[in-house]
């Protein structure tokens, strides 16, 4: 809810703070580099080379939980793809989309001067958070490294949040930093994960990279990763592992379904049923159930 | 839900803890001092000199958010008026009212002895939390420095919370300390901000000031400040700045309204519209919209 | 939502982590020891000697709040029976039941080897979390010391949570550690208190005791304690004090009721009514009200 | 090591920050109030009424440890006189002296304006940290509430530290806040307790009280208290309890002396000797030893 | 420096706190259980079955560092044997000895009553910290679980510290809790690791186990483990792994020695030398150096 | 003290952990980019374009303290150049040198695979911490972003620390992460700043940049910055500001010198002397003193 500086004296007072907000991009990847560094991507790509996980898989992923991602990733050696400890705007609403990454660093006037001059020379105008926000596509989740900053680390308020919601078709936002206008944002229907809310505007930072690898807490995020968030935390899934994970999630769902049906019968101790039935007849029963249900479920994907 | 000590043996056991609860006032302001230290107040005052922000402004403030207060205060040099990190009883309910301040310190028997003797001599009975609570007026927000204390730092339980709700007409409570009886309080319709809930009764503290300047975290609060809380945190607004802030908030609301109308058209990148339209025609369109809407809105205040 | 390892390659990858999960019991009490160490228990016992607080008292306790437990325990010298700082699954739902305790320690392969060998020799199969879970009775609250562990300290996911809910008739779970599958658990109707949620499975721990004294934060819990949780925290009440506490809670409820009736009259300052009416006539009025209401309430228990 | 602003351009740049440093005193005690609130003081007083613990007792206190203060205070109901968690400048050097207290609050321009105007009118010039520092007497320990502030909460750098060392004859400094110039201060021979060091100058604060009760963490400090610090933490001792504490410390010292002599004999288990010898003959031996040594020690005080 | 309660009034006041100090043992192991649970121990045992790592190995271990223990343990599956975050009394002095373990829990009067009665019946007198301290042998390191408690969690002051130093021949102390009398202890020549120092006496706890498995932070400690501490933290080494670790440490020492000799030549990049020389001739040189030096070193152990 | 894997079975066990250590460089600057982004550098450059602050200025900087850097930088808009909260290896020894920066991210096998393949193709062998360490020059301070990691975030142990000390001529190390072998490193004469020590080897990370801008806590560091550390914290000074800062430090030193001389006279209150003498005669005296001393000092630089 930042106001138009030119109109009232009160706003002019606030506007005096704005020159301290400086933004610029330092790192980026050429299309070739993007393709190189995401070579295992099995899907199409955006014009800039960023992997494009298909919409159909995004939809199927919406039915998963964090545990179903965890079931696959560490076993494949991917132990740095999960982060939690966020405030979650709508805990009951899943976050699923393609990572669009943005990296900030604390402001240095010397570095900022160079980058703004380069941006001007390239006809881009000033580099700042809206430079990146205006690049977002439907299905993108904006993933921002603001190094956990509260005051001054507010990537958006309610107006830009509204714009992102429109531009990404409600895909979402993950920021290792803050948002402002929590009051206004609360009513908007887009998932968001942030460290805290603070009334200040973004300040004393520069953009050091757009669509480069970024670190969100203890996770390394690549542009084009499938971002998945539930009420526990957020996963950043390499495109090559999306299909195996959603396929395995179907198996886990059916296993849960059958396990509870058996628990409901009230005849078994938990060890007899879960994880694997100890009785061969039960095990067979389960295997047949799984086969049948998998067929039913997967028919619906066609 | 503290029980009547005289009635059951079980309660008597608990009552043995009570002599450790001692309260007393050390600092206060005379009416002249109050007027001196709040000299910029443009409004009426209570009989004790405390500024009385008008009810009409309190009502208009209810539509603001923290960011709209932030838009003005730091620019005027007021950088110590915001505090967050509270548990919020009803996050969807705004807190708006006039600060009634209360300061505690850890108990010292020697200091306590002097103050209780003075209170007795003045015919006031014992000085304790109810001494201050019984002074509250409609529209007051009780603002309490209990130095972040959890166990023993519980300013009220549900009975006194109920009394405050009645006495202030539901204005509210901010405590840098604790409350007890969270279970019972949850159903009561008054905003409250506190560090934590704890089942203990208030103990091992003395009242060191009533309606004096107090510190709540990193904020300095004066009696008579307009207290404003939303789902982010709490602002303590000097009376002289209330009118400029609520006036400017109208402008910001209209700016938000117009910005989203333009975003809804889907024709613009965010930079073209927000903060200030880059296109002169759009800028003019906005200025006319603002003028018209301001007139409409302000008509309703008459 | 852990899947069946034998069925898909993806799950096999995850299953490779499982050998690290090792469990074993080191400490236990014989029936005689259990009776000795809970000698003040005034109620029946389970076959293993664990105190069995009667169902009727459990039902009456459901109407209490933490403050009403606090009103009695410290005065009796019990200052280590309360713990808070939990995430609470359903803050509006009381937790009431009999403590079934479980103690873990960080895994040591040498110790684990001994315990698993003993378990095998005793025909028990492997000792692990399900060994204890399968011993739960209706009305039991599983109280688990997992020393605050997040990753790897997840006592259950949604399948075992479901089993516990069925086995205890929804009594509840308190874990100084983690749970997984928060998404799936959220829809299940059983109270749970935990430090955090994490997608990992339980690992790198051993069971060191079942139904022995355990420490949950700063509280010491005995098997058979009445576990009571509300939106503030959790109390572990020795059986001998359950009756005095619920009886005293009736008195406090009536005192609250009367206090608010008087506050509603709007004629009194808080000090005149609360804690004890200062006016002898009011005090008498209160005492008569208390007597009448106590009779009414207690009639309903017959 | 703040430089002279008038001399070099570089310093002028830094000096631009100084107008934000504003200081003022809000609370104080008249001599009568000081005497009233410290009525139990058994010693002489300074001209402003502040208790003056005699130099001889200060010297004797230098031989004590925190435990010897603790041995008396809680038993007298003084449970809020100890604070720890400080960085200690010279951990091997005892801090002993009379409390000169100073209280700051976060800066409010409106309040600051009033106080500076009052100070000017009174011919005092600007109120700031040096106003208080210039009031220090030999033997005074400056005790400062800067509410734990790091950046901007730096009560002194090395120049003013040097001045305090000269003015108080090396008595000392306790600040719930910061110091700067740690490098320069490290070589100076005065004890100091602070939360952290930071290179910034003091800023954005106002002096709200000089020689009033202040809170240092969980302790309440009165002007004139005996401040005692060792490598564990800091005690603030009411004057009336200084004599009993130092007398009792003699007894404890002798008890330690005797206990270790007996341990050195190697004939006893610890329980037979400590706290009280179990054998009547040993007990008698100890009592005679105590009597003799007390006489020897106390002779030296004459 | 706790004083003799019977002698002075001042001490009597403090002594009123002592009845709250209650101690008792709940868990223990029979000699057979001790032997069972430490079955892999390759060395002699104490009469109670506790493993006794030989003095000669203890002496050799004194030359190791934490990294040399880490080099072996995780690879053997022992990932819960290290803990840090302690205050270290003498950071330059190694801690090496045999674990004597002690476990406390928060006080429960009902449990305490039973245990004290059992202790009296067994003719042991009261169970408290000195009960365990009086059992220490030369070479023992007292390892205490006081669950991180500061106030009231002080296992010893300077008198008992002195006694332990005498009884263990200066082996040492590790407490997940506090010590008191830091001032007095600082001059004593025994290594100690503790969470903090606090002037209070031990209180509100009971002894729940002597020489049982205990948890120190994230480590599981068995009685008889070799306790090894340096300036980083503390390792608890199972007896069966002591010999392999000290043997391997010799190899690492020689490797370090040779690496630096080569670095001193100034001819190589670090990669050419460390970890393994890339040049076959250099590698051979190293292997011969290692062989020769190992022979020299190991000759000294005979 | 990591051992030679090929020689003993024990070491082989540890070596099994090594494949998890993977390193690679993602970002770098060409010489032209380096020159561009450090365009304000007034000094010579290294062959790769990194600014080379002259040795003579490095020597003069050794006499400064953090406050003297602070006196200039914020006034020039550089508010993100200071970081503290480190463990300091030798608090009495200044750190001064030229920044050589290194950035790590949590390991991703897909990204790591690409980078290692690129490194192999370029004939560089494996990319890991020694790749960067072998590039260090005399006077370089290695500045490492390991995102605060303890376990697994250990940039060096004592062997590589020794190598760095030799290669940089003892200039120093700053790591937002850990070191290992604290015991062995303590005796080496090179300044080092780190978050903690841990016995583990570096693991689960990749090198994402060498000599690129890095973030150390809240500071942005450029390759070639003058790194300055004292017992408070670490400053990263842009080359263009080094000369003004060291020149101004001379003025501050003289001001301190004169201030204390005057304080030693014992005739003045602190306000009369510090910051600027209030008396015109004194002010003139100071100005003459400054002029004379500046001349003396600066003569020594020739």
């Amino acid at each position: 809810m930042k106001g138009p500086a030119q109109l009232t004296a009160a706003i002019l007072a606030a506007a005096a703070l704005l020159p301290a907000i400086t933004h610029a991009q330092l790192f980026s990847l050429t299309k070739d580099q993007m393709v190189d560094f995401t070579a295992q991507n099995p899907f199409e790509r955006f014009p800039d080379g960023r992997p494009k996980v298909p919409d159909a898989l995004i939809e199927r992923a919406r039915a998963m939980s964090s545990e179903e991602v965890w079931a696959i990733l560490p076993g494949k050696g991917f132990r740095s793809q999960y982060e939690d400890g966020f405030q979650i705007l709508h805990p009951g609403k899943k976050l699923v989309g393609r990572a669009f990454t943005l990296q900030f660093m604390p402001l240095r006037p010397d570095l900022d001067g160079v980058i703004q001059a380069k941006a001007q020379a390239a006809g881009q105008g000033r580099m700042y958070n809206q430079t990146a926000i205006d690049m977002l596509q439907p299905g993108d989740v904006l993933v921002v490294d603001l190094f956990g900053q509260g005051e001054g680390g507010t990537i958006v308020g309610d107006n830009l949040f509204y714009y992102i919601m429109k531009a990404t078709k409600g895909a979402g936002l993950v920021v290792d930093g803050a948002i402002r206008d929590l009051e206004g944002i609360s009513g908007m229907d887009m998932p968001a994960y942030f460290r805290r809310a603070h009334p200040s505007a973004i300040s004393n930072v520069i953009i050091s990279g757009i669509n480069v690898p970024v670190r969100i807490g203890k996770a390394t995020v690549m542009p084009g990763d499938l971002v998945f968030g539930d009420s526990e935390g957020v996963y950043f899934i390499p495109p090559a592992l999306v299909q195996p994970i959603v396929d395995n999630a179907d198996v886990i769902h059916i296993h849960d379904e059958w396990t509870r049906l058996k628990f409901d019968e009230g005849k078994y101790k938990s060890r007899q049923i879960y994880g694997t039935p100890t009785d061969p007849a039960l095990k067979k029963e389960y295997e047949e159930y799984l086969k049948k249900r998998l067929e039913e479920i997967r028919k619906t994907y066609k």
Side-chain angles (χ1 to χ4, degrees), chain A:
Chain A
M1 302 185 187
K2 198 178 62 183
Q6 75 287 0
L7 283 173
T8 68
I11 282 185
L12 280 172
L17 297 170
L18 291 179
I21 307 173
T22 327
H23 321 258
Q25 177 179 6
L26 176 58
F27 297 117
S28 62
L29 300 176
T30 63
K31 180 171 179 175
D32 282 355
Q33 288 173 322
M34 181 74 86
V35 171
D36 264 18
F37 283 116
T38 59
Q40 298 178 12
N41 169 48
F43 306 119
E44 281 183 76
R45 294 175 181 276
F46 286 98
D48 64 353
R50 187 163 56 111
K52 188 172 179 184
V53 175
D55 288 347
L57 279 178
I58 289 181
E59 279 323 298
R60 280 182 62 195
R62 220 172 279 283
M64 299 192 308
S65 72
S66 279
E67 284 69 22
E68 290 157 359
V69 187
W70 190 271
I72 300 293
L73 283 191
K76 301 280 188 193
F78 287 82
R79 298 173 182 281
S80 309
Q81 303 309 119
Y82 177 72
E83 178 68 8
D84 55 17
F86 295 101
Q87 283 192 46
I88 305 179
L89 186 65
H90 302 305
K93 192 174 173 61
K94 292 275 174 58
L95 166 82
V96 196
R98 303 172 193 100
F100 182 107
T101 68
L102 192 50
Q103 187 190 48
F104 287 85
M105 284 189 149
L107 174 70
R108 271 181 79 124
D110 51 357
L111 196 52
D112 185 48
V114 176
I115 295 166
Q116 295 302 354
K118 284 177 185 285
Q120 296 290 348
Q124 291 184 327
R126 245 172 94 247
M127 286 288 288
Y128 67 137
N129 55 344
Q130 290 180 246
T131 309
I133 287 169
D134 281 347
M135 299 167 67
L136 291 168
Q137 303 295 318
D140 282 355
V141 172
L142 182 62
V143 177
V144 187
D145 174 10
L146 261 160
F147 42 93
Q149 191 69 14
E151 182 168 348
T154 48
I155 181 66
V156 294
D158 56 1
N159 285 305
L160 291 178
F161 192 92
Y162 185 84
Y163 179 83
I164 294 174
M165 184 175 68
K166 291 274 165 179
T168 67
K169 309 285 186 211
L173 170 68
V174 178
V175 55
D176 185 9
I179 55 116
R180 59 196 306 238
D181 286 322
L182 180 55
E183 200 72 21
I185 281 172
S186 298
M188 298 185 190
D189 191 26
M190 180 171 80
Y193 292 70
F194 49 94
R195 298 300 182 188
R196 54 175 300 197
H198 195 270
S200 58
I202 192 168
S203 59
N204 289 313
V205 294
I206 46 174
I207 291 185
S208 50
I210 298 180
N211 273 332
V212 293
V214 298
R215 185 170 59 74
I216 297 294
K218 299 291 184 209
T220 297
V221 188
M222 290 291 288
D225 278 353
L226 184 73
V227 186
F228 174 87
D230 68 3
S231 53
E232 291 187 10
V234 182
Y235 249 110
F236 306 96
I237 308 171
L241 292 171
V242 172
Q243 184 80 50
I245 287 171
V246 296
D247 284 350
N248 186 53
D250 287 342
V251 176
I252 296 177
H253 290 158
I254 296 163
H255 185 248
D256 291 352
E257 204 177 272
W258 184 81
T259 299
R260 291 182 205 171
L261 285 172
K262 300 315 283 186
F263 283 170
D264 281 347
E265 294 180 15
K267 292 187 301 195
Y268 304 100
K269 288 291 175 186
S270 79
R271 278 173 299 181
Q272 296 172 283
I273 300 298
Y274 179 80
T276 300
T278 45
D279 178 66
L282 270 179
K283 196 172 159 185
K284 182 143 177 294
E285 177 190 324
Y286 165 65
E287 284 164 10
E288 282 162 6
Y289 184 89
L290 172 66
K291 187 155 166 269
K292 182 175 63 96
R293 289 288 291 123
L294 263 184
E295 278 164 15
E296 289 169 15
I297 286 173
R298 293 196 169 156
K299 222 174 310 178
T300 68
Y301 300 148
K302 310 289 157 65

